[in-house]
Amino acid sequence: PAGAFSSPPPADDSTSPTADDSSALPLPSTYITCGKCKSLFAISSADLGAHGKGRRVKCSVCDNSWYQSRDRLLDIPTQTHELLPLPKSDLERIAKNLEREESADFAGVFKLYVGNLDWNVKEEDLKEFFESGVEGGGEVCDVSIVRGEGGRSRGFAFVTFYEEEVGRKALELNGKECNGREISVREPNN
């Protein structure tokens, strides 16, 4: 599956696969990056076949294909990072971007700060809140909840829209209730 590097979770993270987790596959020590959508894939030299210098590979996120040579495999920095599955929301954003003929890493044109969030609010909750709350509808491109070291929400997020007009309409949601809290919606400071 596609993934992204992240700093490793705290040592007491009980959701990490363990040595006795029979559903987990061993992670190769190398990876490749799709040149189109920038997704990362763990892959070993053996995955490229027994003969030749490499083989053609295809991205499972954006369908881009390329010739991958053994000498261009990158080492996973396992001492400082962990390869995690790409969240469903990122996969959906990449697919929508490619459908709209945007670059895969496009994150929208109009960003809003959203504060006073419930600690348990999820990215999907905010996406649904803004898409259903904007008069005339509109699409949210990206939602990023800011989290502390332990992974807990810090109570604010950034929501980015595909179109500036939709983002400006979303400013009208300032003071509305989301997950039981009256939220603050405004343009970010920077």
mmCIF file of all heavy atoms in Angstrom, residues 101-119:
data_model
loop_
_atom_site.group_PDB
_atom_site.id
_atom_site.type_symbol
_atom_site.label_atom_id
_atom_site.label_comp_id
_atom_site.label_asym_id
_atom_site.label_seq_id
_atom_site.Cartn_x
_atom_site.Cartn_y
_atom_site.Cartn_z
ATOM 1 N N GLU A 101 -7.233 17.283 -13.096
ATOM 2 C CA GLU A 101 -6.005 17.624 -13.815
ATOM 3 C C GLU A 101 -5.122 18.596 -13.035
ATOM 4 O O GLU A 101 -4.452 19.458 -13.604
ATOM 5 C CB GLU A 101 -6.326 18.131 -15.222
ATOM 6 C CG GLU A 101 -7.003 17.074 -16.074
ATOM 7 C CD GLU A 101 -7.243 17.502 -17.511
ATOM 8 O OE1 GLU A 101 -6.777 18.580 -17.913
ATOM 9 O OE2 GLU A 101 -7.888 16.725 -18.227
ATOM 10 N N GLU A 102 -5.129 18.444 -11.718
ATOM 11 C CA GLU A 102 -4.227 19.175 -10.820
ATOM 12 C C GLU A 102 -3.068 18.236 -10.503
ATOM 13 O O GLU A 102 -3.141 17.037 -10.747
ATOM 14 C CB GLU A 102 -4.944 19.536 -9.508
ATOM 15 C CG GLU A 102 -6.139 20.439 -9.653
ATOM 16 C CD GLU A 102 -5.765 21.902 -9.834
ATOM 17 O OE1 GLU A 102 -4.564 22.225 -9.845
ATOM 18 O OE2 GLU A 102 -6.676 22.710 -9.995
ATOM 19 N N SER A 103 -1.998 18.779 -9.923
ATOM 20 C CA SER A 103 -0.910 17.901 -9.477
ATOM 21 C C SER A 103 -1.413 17.082 -8.291
ATOM 22 O O SER A 103 -2.321 17.512 -7.571
ATOM 23 C CB SER A 103 0.322 18.715 -9.088
ATOM 24 O OG SER A 103 0.069 19.462 -7.924
ATOM 25 N N ALA A 104 -0.844 15.912 -8.103
ATOM 26 C CA ALA A 104 -1.307 15.014 -7.043
ATOM 27 C C ALA A 104 -1.196 15.642 -5.663
ATOM 28 O O ALA A 104 -2.024 15.397 -4.791
ATOM 29 C CB ALA A 104 -0.515 13.715 -7.087
ATOM 30 N N ASP A 105 -0.188 16.489 -5.443
ATOM 31 C CA ASP A 105 0.013 17.076 -4.119
ATOM 32 C C ASP A 105 -0.684 18.424 -3.944
ATOM 33 O O ASP A 105 -0.488 19.100 -2.935
ATOM 34 C CB ASP A 105 1.502 17.191 -3.798
ATOM 35 C CG ASP A 105 2.264 18.051 -4.792
ATOM 36 O OD1 ASP A 105 1.694 18.438 -5.836
ATOM 37 O OD2 ASP A 105 3.447 18.334 -4.530
ATOM 38 N N PHE A 106 -1.541 18.818 -4.893
ATOM 39 C CA PHE A 106 -2.290 20.068 -4.791
ATOM 40 C C PHE A 106 -3.161 20.024 -3.529
ATOM 41 O O PHE A 106 -3.828 19.044 -3.255
ATOM 42 C CB PHE A 106 -3.165 20.239 -6.034
ATOM 43 C CG PHE A 106 -3.999 21.484 -6.030
ATOM 44 C CD1 PHE A 106 -3.420 22.729 -6.205
ATOM 45 C CD2 PHE A 106 -5.371 21.408 -5.861
ATOM 46 C CE1 PHE A 106 -4.194 23.883 -6.220
ATOM 47 C CE2 PHE A 106 -6.155 22.557 -5.877
ATOM 48 C CZ PHE A 106 -5.568 23.795 -6.056
ATOM 49 N N ALA A 107 -3.125 21.103 -2.740
ATOM 50 C CA ALA A 107 -3.862 21.125 -1.467
ATOM 51 C C ALA A 107 -4.871 22.269 -1.404
ATOM 52 O O ALA A 107 -5.301 22.647 -0.329
ATOM 53 C CB ALA A 107 -2.895 21.212 -0.298
ATOM 54 N N GLY A 108 -5.269 22.817 -2.539
ATOM 55 C CA GLY A 108 -6.300 23.842 -2.540
ATOM 56 C C GLY A 108 -5.738 25.241 -2.671
ATOM 57 O O GLY A 108 -4.529 25.453 -2.654
ATOM 58 N N VAL A 109 -6.673 26.234 -2.802
ATOM 59 C CA VAL A 109 -6.254 27.617 -3.039
ATOM 60 C C VAL A 109 -6.660 28.575 -1.921
ATOM 61 O O VAL A 109 -6.180 29.698 -1.872
ATOM 62 C CB VAL A 109 -6.821 28.160 -4.378
ATOM 63 C CG1 VAL A 109 -6.272 27.380 -5.547
ATOM 64 C CG2 VAL A 109 -8.342 28.146 -4.385
ATOM 65 N N PHE A 110 -7.552 28.139 -1.027
ATOM 66 C CA PHE A 110 -8.015 29.055 0.016
ATOM 67 C C PHE A 110 -8.059 28.313 1.352
ATOM 68 O O PHE A 110 -8.837 27.388 1.532
ATOM 69 C CB PHE A 110 -9.402 29.608 -0.332
ATOM 70 C CG PHE A 110 -9.806 30.783 0.516
ATOM 71 C CD1 PHE A 110 -9.331 32.050 0.230
ATOM 72 C CD2 PHE A 110 -10.646 30.614 1.602
ATOM 73 C CE1 PHE A 110 -9.696 33.137 1.006
ATOM 74 C CE2 PHE A 110 -11.015 31.694 2.385
ATOM 75 C CZ PHE A 110 -10.542 32.960 2.090
ATOM 76 N N LYS A 111 -7.203 28.737 2.281
ATOM 77 C CA LYS A 111 -7.061 28.052 3.567
ATOM 78 C C LYS A 111 -7.726 28.859 4.677
ATOM 79 O O LYS A 111 -7.628 30.082 4.715
ATOM 80 C CB LYS A 111 -5.579 27.869 3.895
ATOM 81 C CG LYS A 111 -5.328 27.074 5.170
ATOM 82 C CD LYS A 111 -3.856 26.968 5.490
ATOM 83 C CE LYS A 111 -3.219 25.958 4.597
ATOM 84 N NZ LYS A 111 -1.843 25.624 5.010
ATOM 85 N N LEU A 112 -8.395 28.136 5.600
ATOM 86 C CA LEU A 112 -9.008 28.750 6.770
ATOM 87 C C LEU A 112 -8.479 28.109 8.042
ATOM 88 O O LEU A 112 -8.208 26.908 8.086
ATOM 89 C CB LEU A 112 -10.537 28.587 6.738
ATOM 90 C CG LEU A 112 -11.291 29.345 5.669
ATOM 91 C CD1 LEU A 112 -12.769 28.988 5.715
ATOM 92 C CD2 LEU A 112 -11.093 30.835 5.824
ATOM 93 N N TYR A 113 -8.363 28.931 9.080
ATOM 94 C CA TYR A 113 -8.063 28.463 10.430
ATOM 95 C C TYR A 113 -9.411 28.132 11.076
ATOM 96 O O TYR A 113 -10.371 28.898 10.965
ATOM 97 C CB TYR A 113 -7.361 29.562 11.214
ATOM 98 C CG TYR A 113 -7.330 29.322 12.706
ATOM 99 C CD1 TYR A 113 -6.309 28.587 13.282
ATOM 100 C CD2 TYR A 113 -8.334 29.824 13.533
ATOM 101 C CE1 TYR A 113 -6.278 28.368 14.656
ATOM 102 C CE2 TYR A 113 -8.314 29.607 14.896
ATOM 103 C CZ TYR A 113 -7.286 28.880 15.454
ATOM 104 O OH TYR A 113 -7.262 28.654 16.805
ATOM 105 N N VAL A 114 -9.488 26.986 11.750
ATOM 106 C CA VAL A 114 -10.699 26.589 12.459
ATOM 107 C C VAL A 114 -10.291 26.265 13.898
ATOM 108 O O VAL A 114 -9.496 25.357 14.131
ATOM 109 C CB VAL A 114 -11.372 25.363 11.803
ATOM 110 C CG1 VAL A 114 -12.659 25.011 12.525
ATOM 111 C CG2 VAL A 114 -11.626 25.604 10.327
ATOM 112 N N GLY A 115 -10.801 27.040 14.852
ATOM 113 C CA GLY A 115 -10.415 26.863 16.246
ATOM 114 C C GLY A 115 -11.572 26.475 17.142
ATOM 115 O O GLY A 115 -12.722 26.399 16.711
ATOM 116 N N ASN A 116 -11.244 26.235 18.421
ATOM 117 C CA ASN A 116 -12.186 25.823 19.462
ATOM 118 C C ASN A 116 -12.850 24.491 19.124
ATOM 119 O O ASN A 116 -14.029 24.281 19.370
ATOM 120 C CB ASN A 116 -13.251 26.901 19.720
ATOM 121 C CG ASN A 116 -13.922 26.698 21.074
ATOM 122 O OD1 ASN A 116 -13.291 26.270 22.028
ATOM 123 N ND2 ASN A 116 -15.207 26.991 21.136
ATOM 124 N N LEU A 117 -12.064 23.586 18.561
ATOM 125 C CA LEU A 117 -12.587 22.275 18.169
ATOM 126 C C LEU A 117 -12.693 21.331 19.355
ATOM 127 O O LEU A 117 -11.882 21.376 20.283
ATOM 128 C CB LEU A 117 -11.671 21.631 17.122
ATOM 129 C CG LEU A 117 -11.596 22.311 15.764
ATOM 130 C CD1 LEU A 117 -10.541 21.633 14.892
ATOM 131 C CD2 LEU A 117 -12.943 22.274 15.077
ATOM 132 N N ASP A 118 -13.669 20.450 19.279
ATOM 133 C CA ASP A 118 -13.790 19.345 20.218
ATOM 134 C C ASP A 118 -12.544 18.465 20.066
ATOM 135 O O ASP A 118 -12.057 18.251 18.950
ATOM 136 C CB ASP A 118 -15.062 18.547 19.882
ATOM 137 C CG ASP A 118 -15.204 17.287 20.695
ATOM 138 O OD1 ASP A 118 -15.265 17.387 21.934
ATOM 139 O OD2 ASP A 118 -15.241 16.195 20.088
ATOM 140 N N TRP A 119 -12.000 17.963 21.176
ATOM 141 C CA TRP A 119 -10.765 17.157 21.129
ATOM 142 C C TRP A 119 -10.925 15.914 20.267
ATOM 143 O O TRP A 119 -9.954 15.390 19.738
ATOM 144 C CB TRP A 119 -10.318 16.732 22.533
ATOM 145 C CG TRP A 119 -10.063 17.861 23.470
ATOM 146 C CD1 TRP A 119 -10.728 18.128 24.636
ATOM 147 C CD2 TRP A 119 -9.072 18.892 23.354
ATOM 148 N NE1 TRP A 119 -10.223 19.253 25.225
ATOM 149 C CE2 TRP A 119 -9.201 19.747 24.460
ATOM 150 C CE3 TRP A 119 -8.095 19.181 22.411
ATOM 151 C CZ2 TRP A 119 -8.401 20.850 24.657
ATOM 152 C CZ3 TRP A 119 -7.299 20.285 22.594
ATOM 153 C CH2 TRP A 119 -7.450 21.104 23.716
#
